Amino acid sequence: VSNLRRRKDKLTEAQILKLEALPGWVWSSIEARWNQGFEYLAKYVEEFGDAAPMKDHKTKDGFRLGAWVQTQRRKKNELSKYRVQKLESLSGWLWNL
């Protein structure tokens, strides 16, 4: 899978379409993981009204949301402008707690 992702520019259009038709296929697992964390945080905000889960908070399916949030805050200067804006769009998001 990693080889296919790295070689995307060498794949035929038919090969790309077949891969993209697979359930759960993503070209960037890192981007997919970040988006998953953001979606969990957005749901947390809807439920609890803030974007500050305790550091040991886990979702029902075991995603370590509290740790993910701490990582985002710690790496603020390394995040893309897009990610910073997405986080700041959440009600109750704070960079420092």
Side-chain angles (χ1 to χ4, degrees):
V1 171
S2 294
N3 287 334
L4 291 170
R5 287 183 176 128
R6 279 192 298 263
R7 295 181 35 210
K8 181 181 181 184
D9 59 331
K10 296 182 188 309
L11 299 175
T12 67
E13 186 176 341
Q15 290 171 318
I16 291 171
L17 290 173
K18 282 182 182 179
L19 289 169
E20 290 176 346
L22 295 171
W25 176 264
V26 292
W27 287 106
S28 171
S29 58
I30 294 168
E31 185 71 17
R33 185 73 172 163
W34 192 90
N35 288 332
Q36 179 186 36
F38 182 82
E39 289 302 317
Y40 278 122
L41 182 57
K43 288 177 185 172
Y44 181 92
V45 170
E46 284 179 26
E47 185 175 346
F48 297 102
D50 65 57
M54 300 297 290
K55 69 179 180 178
D56 60 348
H57 181 83
K58 291 183 183 177
T59 63
K60 292 177 184 176
D61 62 354
F63 184 84
R64 297 178 60 220
L65 182 59
W68 184 88
V69 168
Q70 282 191 326
T71 299
Q72 305 317 300
R73 288 189 175 115
R74 187 176 67 251
K75 294 187 172 191
K76 177 186 180 186
N77 295 329
E78 299 170 36
L79 296 175
S80 69
K81 185 177 180 179
Y82 171 77
R83 288 181 178 180
V84 168
Q85 289 173 340
K86 281 196 68 138
L87 291 167
E88 290 177 346
S89 75
L90 293 172
S91 176
W93 175 262
L94 299 171
W95 286 105
N96 298 309
L97 287 182

